[in-house]
Amino acid sequence: MLELKLYVIIFWAARICLYARCLHDCIGSCRISKKIAAAAFAVFWIAESFLLSLSPLGREIELFEFFLLLVEMPCLFVLAFCFSGTIVRRLFAAVFLPVVYWFGEWSIRRMLFSTASFYRQYLASASVCVLFLAVFTFLISKIKTSRQERERAMLKQELRMYEKQFHIIRQSQHHIRSLKHDMKHHIKMLSDLVAAGEKDAALDYLASMGEFMENTDAYVDSGNEKIDSILNYMLAKAQKAGICTSWTIQIPEHLELSAFDMNVILSNLMENAINALDGVPSPSLNLRIKYDRGTLCISTKNNNAKKSLDPYRLRTSSEHGYGLKNIQKIAEKHHGSLETSVEDGFFCVSVLLFLSVKELSQE
């Protein structure tokens, strides 16, 4: 009997370690010292082991396990405050983990090992449940890691976009400073041309000044820096790939839309279109963004080598489908929609969002 209790205590130590890992992955990162959190879970394990030492191990153990389940839920809820997260997540994890474990153990012992001795029943059911809990913890950890990797990739791309936009701004400022430095000479030349009645020459000179001021790296200049940085980066990428691009941008300078949401929508739409145009003769891409009375409409239209296309197949294929689910989530978040269609061999995507213009504070 003592040997059985020792094995059970070891299984419980593994179970409580897995509880701690699940709470970390399901709720959030540790909000206190990791050593303090580990000590708190160790105290929890010692308290359970002490209760086990006082209880008899026999058929009546199921009553003790039910008592332990009722004790574990509030204890885990308190321990969940070692991690940063919402109350709902803490409560869900504190109830879900012990309920699934204890009822899983009881069911396995009843259904799979009913003919074995109680000693073997208990050890087998405990080991199986700890194994299942370990697999569940591993899956949760992989999902969390995958999400973090996607977020890091998105942040890296956003950083590259802002670097591109800063380069455009610096180049524009350099052109302005250069023109300002020689402005008195330009004014003198224009005055002489006008005084001499050479209007055509004066106009040509002004056109030359305009060309000098023009920033060849700037594609979009809507005034909305978030959108401009994303589009300038993606349009430069499209033109580098030999794609004929055109766009119409009609938006205010400030929109109630986060940079992350806008990055998800525009990056995925443009990336999908650029990938789909790889190897297509005379590739073309048209982008249209328009804001009108709280409604933001974003649409792309690109040609395809195939004249007859199935919108549903494209929605689920790797050619156009990558990222559409993420766009759909953002659209639903803003009570909007995502629509795809095919028109004469052109694949069209339209995203509708309901937003509001940000009111600027008056200083």
Side-chain angles (χ1 to χ4, degrees), residues 100-147:
V100 169
Y101 177 85
W102 288 113
F103 277 93
E105 186 195 79
W106 182 82
S107 301
I108 291 171
R109 190 162 63 241
R110 286 282 179 160
M111 292 186 295
L112 301 182
F113 306 109
S114 58
T115 59
S117 64
F118 174 77
Y119 181 87
R120 291 182 178 179
Q121 286 182 31
Y122 201 89
L123 289 182
S125 60
S127 60
V128 170
C129 282
V130 168
L131 179 61
F132 283 165
L133 187 59
V135 171
F136 175 77
T137 305
F138 174 77
L139 293 175
I140 292 296
S141 180
K142 291 294 290 183
I143 292 172
K144 181 180 179 181
T145 302
S146 178
R147 184 175 65 249

Side-chain angles (χ1 to χ4, degrees), residues 195-325:
E198 300 180 16
K199 295 177 58 177
D200 292 339
L203 291 174
D204 290 340
Y205 195 88
L206 287 172
S208 299
M209 291 176 64
E211 291 176 1
F212 181 81
M213 284 291 296
E214 184 178 356
N215 190 345
T216 57
D217 288 339
Y219 298 98
V220 178
D221 186 17
S222 66
N224 188 308
E225 293 183 1
K226 291 188 296 184
I227 295 178
D228 290 350
S229 62
I230 298 170
L231 292 181
N232 285 327
Y233 177 82
M234 299 306 299
L235 288 170
K237 187 175 181 180
Q239 294 198 354
K240 186 177 180 180
I243 300 172
C244 179
T245 58
S246 60
W247 58 88
T248 303
I249 313 295
Q250 298 176 2
I251 55 174
E253 292 187 6
H254 300 276
L255 291 172
E256 283 290 352
L257 185 65
S258 69
F260 180 84
D261 289 351
M262 182 59 75
N263 193 7
V264 169
I265 295 173
L266 293 178
S267 297
N268 281 303
L269 285 178
M270 298 292 289
E271 193 74 39
N272 286 347
I274 292 171
N275 292 336
L277 289 169
D278 185 25
V280 176
S282 302
S284 66
L285 169 62
N286 176 262
L287 170 69
R288 184 173 181 270
I289 305 177
K290 184 177 181 180
Y291 179 88
D292 184 24
R293 290 173 293 184
T295 303
L296 180 66
C297 181
I298 306 171
S299 61
T300 59
K301 182 177 180 181
N302 61 274
N303 59 342
N304 198 288
K306 298 179 181 179
K307 298 299 182 182
S308 179
L309 303 172
D310 181 3
Y312 178 77
R313 182 182 62 80
L314 284 174
R315 179 188 289 268
T316 56
S317 70
S318 59
E319 182 180 348
H320 275 284
Y322 180 76
L324 286 182
K325 290 184 179 179

